[in-house]
C-alpha cells in the first residue's frame, strides 16, 4: 500500500513525522530533519496538555498498569507515563532504532530504566507478544500505520479484557503567527502539506472512533483539546516555531512559490532574535476505548 516510505520526514511536521526509515536524523535527501528534537520540543512546549491527558488516562486504570507505548519515538510519552504513574511498567516500541536509543538514554537519565523496556517492532507486521497490557498508548503514531484497521485489531489483541486503548492524534498542526501576512502564509503551507501527507499514505484524518468500534472496542471518550498559548512564550516555544517553519520550508521545497519559500526562510531567520508576538494554536484529539471485560 502507498505508505510514507519515500517522502521526507519534514512533510509531516511537528510531533508527527513521516516514515521512520532507519535514521530519523536525516530524510531521503540526507538533510537533517531534527525529528527527535521536534518531538522533545512538542512535549516540552505543550506539557500542560500532555500532563492532562496522562492524568486522565491514569485515573481510569489500575495502580500498577502494564503499558505498551506504540511508536514511542524519543520516549516523551513513555517517560511522562512512567513518572506520573509511578508503579507503571512500560514497553515502548518503535521501528526506528535511533529513536529507541534516545528513549533508553532518557529513561536511564530519569532513573526509570527498571520500569521501561524498549523494543524494536515494525507495527505494520504481525506484532510480537507485547501483552497482556492494561493500557495501549499511541501518541501521534496510529496515523503511520499502513493498515489502520489491522493495527487497531492488534492493539485489541494486546490488551487484557477490560484494558484501555488511548489514541492521541494531531487534529491540526501548530500555527504560530497572528499577523495577517504570517497567518495567510501558514494557511497556504498547511494546505499543501495536508495534500502531501495524504499522498504519502498517512492517515491524518482517520475516524478512529469508527475503527475502534469496528474492532470490538467500547468508546469511553473522544475529546478534542484546543490549545492556545499566548505571548510571552518561553524560549523553547520560539525554537519549536523555528524548527516547525524550517521543516515546513524543507518539506515544501518546489511545492510552493519562490516568494513563499523566501518568506518562510525570513521567518526562520527572524526567529533567531526571538519574536514577542508568537502564539501557538493547535488542536489534538484523544480517543479512549476499552476492550470489553
Ligand atoms: C510522530 S512520532 C510520535 C512519537 C511519540 N509517540 C510522541 O508522541 O512523541 C511517530 C513514531 O512512530 C514510529 N513509527 C512509524 N511507523 C512505525 C511502524 N510501522 N512501526 C513502529 N513504529 C513506527 C516512528 O519511528 C516515530 O518514532
Amino acid at each position: 500500500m502507498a505508505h510514507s516510505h519515500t517522502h521526507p520526514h519534514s512533510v509531516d511536521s511537528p510531533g508527527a513525522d513521516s516514515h521512520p526509515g532507519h535514521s530519523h536524523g536525516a530524510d531521503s535527501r540526507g538533510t537533517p530533519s531534527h525529528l527527535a528534537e521536534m518531538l522533545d520540543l512538542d512535549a516540552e512546549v505543550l506539557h500542560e496538555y500532555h500532563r492532562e491527558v496522562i492524568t486522565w488516562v491514569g485515573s481510569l486504570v489500575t495502580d500498577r498498569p502494564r503499558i505498551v507505548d506504540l511508536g514511542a519515538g524519543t520516549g516523551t510519552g513513555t517517560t511522562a507515563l512512567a513518572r506520573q504513574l509511578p508503579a507503571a511498567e512500560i514497553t515502548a516500541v518503535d521501528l526506528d532504532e535511533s529513536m529507541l536509543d534516545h528513549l533508553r538514554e532518557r529513561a536511564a537519565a530519569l532513573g526509570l530504566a527498571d520500569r521501561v523496556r524498549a523494543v524494536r517492532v515494525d507495527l505494520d507486521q504481525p506484532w510480537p507478544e507485547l501483552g497482556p497490557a492494561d493500557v495501549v498508548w499511541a501518541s501521534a503514531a496510529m496515523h503511520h500505520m499502513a493498515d489502520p484497521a489491522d493495527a487497531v485489531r492488534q492493539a485489541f489483541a494486546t490488551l487484557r479484557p477490560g484494558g484501555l486503548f488511548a489514541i492521541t492524534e494531531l487534529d491540526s498542526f501548530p500555527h504560530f503567527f497572528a499577523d495577517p501576512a504570517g497567518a495567510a502564509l501558514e494557511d497556504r503551507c498547511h494546505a499543501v502539506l495536508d495534500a502531501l501527507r495524504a499522498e504519502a499514505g498517512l492517515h491524518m484524518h482517520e475516524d478512529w472512533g469508527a475503527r475502534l468500534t469496528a474492532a470490538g472496542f467500547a468508546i469511553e471518550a473522544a475529546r478534542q483539546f484546543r490549545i492556545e498559548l499566548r505571548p510571552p512564550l518561553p524560549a523553547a516555544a520560539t525554537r519549536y516555531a523555528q524548527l516547525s517553519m524550517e521543516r515546513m520550508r524543507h518539506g515544501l521545497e518546489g511545492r510552493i512559490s519562490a516568494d513563499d519559500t523566501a518568506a518562510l526562510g525570513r521567518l526562520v531567520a527572524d526567529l533567531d532574535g526571538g519574536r514577542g508576538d508568537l502564539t501557538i494554536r493547535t488542536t489534538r484529539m484523544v480517543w479512549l476505548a476499552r476492550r470489553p471485560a
Side-chain angles (χ1 to χ4, degrees):
M1 129 167 241
H3 194 41
S4 46
H5 289 237
T6 52
H7 68 93
H9 282 311
S10 42
V11 162
D12 188 8
S13 221
D17 66 314
S18 65
H19 178 70
H22 300 290
S23 157
H24 69 268
D27 72 13
S28 52
R29 281 173 278 180
T31 311
S33 67
H34 301 294
L35 176 62
E37 184 183 359
M38 195 74 228
L39 296 175
D40 287 355
L41 281 168
D42 189 82
E44 183 179 348
V45 173
L46 306 181
H47 63 94
E48 277 177 32
Y49 154 74
H50 291 289
R51 166 169 282 277
E52 188 175 342
V53 175
I54 292 178
T55 302
W56 185 23
V57 168
S59 73
L60 298 173
V61 301
T62 58
D63 286 346
R64 302 174 63 83
R66 287 153 302 167
I67 302 175
V68 175
D69 183 359
L70 304 178
T74 58
T76 55
T78 308
T79 51
L81 285 160
R83 294 173 93 176
Q84 280 185 243
L85 309 175
E89 298 209 341
I90 306 177
T91 301
V93 304
D94 205 285
L95 179 55
D96 188 329
E97 198 57 69
S98 57
M99 287 288 185
L100 292 172
D101 286 343
H102 194 116
L103 187 152
R104 288 186 192 101
E105 277 167 29
R106 177 196 295 273
L110 293 169
L112 301 169
D114 57 328
R115 291 191 290 120
V116 170
R117 181 169 78 102
V119 190
R120 184 175 182 279
V121 175
D122 181 354
L123 295 166
D124 288 338
Q125 302 298 323
W127 299 3
E129 189 59 59
L130 296 169
D134 300 297
V135 178
V136 172
W137 170 267
S139 163
M142 291 303 286
H143 69 267
H144 286 277
M145 301 297 109
D147 182 345
D150 182 61
V152 172
R153 276 195 298 273
Q154 297 209 66
F156 187 94
T158 300
L159 284 162
R160 65 160 172 80
L164 189 73
F165 189 15
I167 298 179
T168 76
E169 283 290 334
L170 276 85
D171 202 25
S172 82
F173 282 82
H175 286 69
F176 298 100
F177 301 102
D179 64 293
L185 173 65
E186 277 189 306
D187 285 347
R188 287 196 296 282
C189 292
H190 281 275
V192 180
L193 277 174
D194 265 349
L196 287 176
R197 289 185 194 112
E199 234 175 68
L202 293 169
H203 304 276
M204 292 305 303
H205 298 290
E206 196 73 13
D207 182 351
W208 293 107
R211 293 271 184 224
L212 288 161
T213 306
F217 281 99
I219 308 280
E220 283 212 354
R223 179 170 162 199
Q224 188 190 53
F225 288 74
R226 286 182 176 281
I227 299 165
E228 180 156 357
L229 306 179
R230 293 169 185 278
L233 296 178
T238 309
R239 177 69 187 140
Y240 181 65
Q242 191 175 39
L243 207 51
S244 301
M245 291 299 117
E246 177 54 28
R247 287 167 56 80
M248 195 142 90
R249 194 182 62 77
H250 176 63
L252 292 177
E253 231 170 85
R255 305 279 193 151
I256 53 174
S257 70
D259 283 353
D260 279 355
T261 305
L264 279 176
R266 281 195 300 278
L267 283 177
V268 171
D270 284 354
L271 284 167
D272 266 343
R275 211 178 128 146
D277 64 343
L278 217 55
T279 64
I280 297 181
R281 282 166 291 123
T282 181
T283 50
R284 307 277 161 121
M285 269 302 297
V286 179
W287 289 264
L288 299 183
R290 291 249 181 224
R291 174 175 171 161

